[in-house]
Amino acid sequence: MPRFFKYILTGLALTVVAFATEAQTYHLPGAHQEEHSQLIAKQQIVGNQIKVEDTQQFLDQLFKEEEEPEIDIFTEGWDSKLVNPFNEADVPETAEIDVSRFVMPHPGYITSPYGYRKRFRRMHKGIDLKVYIGDTIRAAFDGKVRLTNYERRGYGYYVILRHSNGLETVYGHLSKFLVEQDQVVKAGDPIALGGNTGRSTGSHLHFETRFMGYAINPAGIFDFNNQTVHTDTYTFDKGSYQLARNYDPAVNSEYMKEYLKTHPQPKVSAQHSGEASYYTVKSGDSLSRIASKNRTTVKALCQLNNIKTTSVLRPGQTLRLR
């Protein structure tokens, strides 16, 4: 017996006395010694195995699918003056777009649908809605103003909003801006007043819905006759983005009749017979000339139209007189 213990019980105390009979030396088997030596020989410096660059690449790939798309929504092409600032190569074949939180930009009926125009030999990339000059135009979704601009041979005065759902909406032929570039807006916020500027033959709102530059048929998202969206989610598809959903000209005609009953042509607000409430700027016009012809003042014109006495007037521009 290599070691034994003798226990002596004295009263309530237990005293342990250990006696060692002899010293003993332990040795690992030879096979264990050899394996241990091999393990030590194969060890390398940890710094040579782990690199910061490789680790970062691994993490980037790991969380690639979890990045929030909203981070870049308001950066790509933001400073561009183009209606379409996107790169075709970046547009996915399909995408699910949340359109549940919306407001109709205006309750007007459709005066011209989306589609190719044989007469002009070009594509009409939006829908025209009936508005009267001075009608309030509202933001369709939450977002931010990317651009307010003027185009004499096209949109006239127009606003482009970029939305957190990935869409951009374009509002054309306006008479006045109510927002500024980079301004954050909520769905339903007033952004402009309806007008008849640019390439337009009558007061209306040209309304576009775009996804990364692709001009989607607005009737594929909105049911204008019922003033709602078709579904809470719109599926963008490169093969079908130009299609409408249940657009019926006959139903639109019925809606037009009801709209005209509840939204009659505004009466001309003027102090003199034949004097209009709005004036379309002609070549060679100046503020003083317009004020004199319409029996008003330059100061009044500037206040009504939110312009300065030094503002440059453009032919086709609409000014409010009263």
Side-chain angles (χ1 to χ4, degrees):
M1 183 175 180
R3 183 182 294 272
F4 69 90
F5 296 91
K6 183 176 181 181
Y7 299 89
I8 303 174
L9 183 62
T10 306
L12 297 177
L14 179 65
T15 304
V16 180
V17 181
F19 296 89
T21 58
E22 62 180 78
Q24 188 168 354
T25 303
Y26 295 93
H27 299 281
L28 288 172
H32 288 190
Q33 292 278 17
E34 183 178 355
E35 290 180 4
H36 185 254
S37 299
Q38 291 177 355
L39 286 173
I40 293 177
K42 291 180 179 178
Q43 286 183 355
Q44 298 178 12
I45 300 174
V46 175
N48 293 337
Q49 300 179 38
I50 302 176
K51 295 182 179 179
V52 175
E53 294 86 350
D54 294 340
T55 304
Q56 187 60 53
Q57 289 175 5
F58 172 77
L59 291 174
D60 290 344
Q61 185 64 32
L62 181 64
F63 295 106
K64 185 176 181 180
E65 300 301 324
E66 297 184 15
E67 292 177 352
E68 291 292 339
E70 285 80 0
I71 293 175
D72 294 326
I73 283 291
F74 301 112
T75 57
E76 185 174 357
W78 188 258
D79 295 327
S80 172
K81 298 300 181 183
L82 300 175
V83 174
N84 177 13
F86 294 96
N87 186 343
E88 165 66 24
D90 296 331
V91 184
E93 290 295 324
T94 62
E96 296 293 321
I97 302 171
D98 182 3
V99 294
S100 59
R101 301 186 64 178
F102 75 95
V103 170
M104 302 300 289
H106 189 272
Y109 58 90
I110 296 175
T111 60
S112 183
Y114 175 101
Y116 183 74
R117 295 291 181 271
K118 292 182 180 179
R119 177 183 175 187
F120 301 107
R121 296 182 181 179
R122 63 183 176 84
M123 187 72 176
H124 186 228
K125 297 181 178 180
I127 276 182
D128 292 344
L129 300 176
K130 179 59 183 176
V131 302
Y132 298 117
I133 296 175
D135 281 357
T136 301
I137 309 302
R138 301 182 182 277
F141 306 101
D142 293 351
K144 193 175 182 181
V145 181
R146 180 168 73 83
L147 186 64
T148 59
N149 205 1
Y150 177 80
E151 189 179 278
R152 185 169 67 89
R153 297 182 180 277
Y155 293 103
Y157 286 102
Y158 66 98
V159 173
I160 298 179
L161 304 182
R162 185 172 294 183
H163 307 287
S164 54
N165 61 6
L167 289 177
E168 282 197 335
T169 49
V170 183
Y171 310 77
H173 306 303
L174 309 170
S175 63
K176 183 179 180 181
F177 300 134
L178 300 179
V179 290
E180 299 177 348
Q181 192 167 338
D182 293 328
Q183 181 176 332
V184 175
V185 296
K186 293 293 184 182
D189 282 353
I191 59 171
L193 299 182
N196 184 29
T197 59
R199 190 174 182 176
S200 173
T201 57
S203 60
H204 70 279
L205 171 68
H206 175 80
F207 177 61
E208 294 183 14
T209 48
R210 289 175 173 259
F211 175 69
M212 299 191 73
Y214 274 71
I216 298 168
N217 188 337
I221 299 174
F222 294 94
D223 180 349
F224 292 94
N225 298 322
N226 292 301
Q227 296 291 286
T228 186
V229 289
H230 293 290
T231 54
D232 288 343
T233 302
Y234 171 77
T235 302
F236 167 81
D237 188 300
K238 283 185 176 180
S240 61
Y241 71 93
Q242 295 182 338
L243 302 179
R245 292 191 192 180
N246 304 327
Y247 173 67
D248 186 347
V251 176
N252 183 65
S253 296
E254 291 300 317
Y255 178 69
M256 175 188 70
K257 295 175 183 178
E258 294 301 318
Y259 177 84
L260 292 175
K261 289 179 182 177
T262 56
H263 298 78
Q265 173 73 43
K267 294 182 179 179
V268 175
S269 175
Q271 297 176 350
H272 304 277
S273 177
E275 183 177 284
S277 297
Y278 293 87
Y279 178 83
T280 301
V281 177
K282 300 178 179 61
S283 179
D285 274 341
S286 64
L287 284 174
S288 59
R289 181 179 178 183
I290 294 171
S292 177
K293 286 171 60 177
N294 294 276
R295 300 185 183 183
T296 184
T297 65
V298 171
K299 181 179 180 180
L301 288 176
C302 291
Q303 290 177 342
L304 284 171
N305 295 279
N306 194 26
I307 58 177
K308 299 178 180 179
T309 56
T310 56
S311 296
V312 177
L313 301 181
R314 300 181 179 89
Q317 179 179 348
T318 301
L319 295 179
R320 186 175 178 180
L321 301 176
R322 295 286 183 271

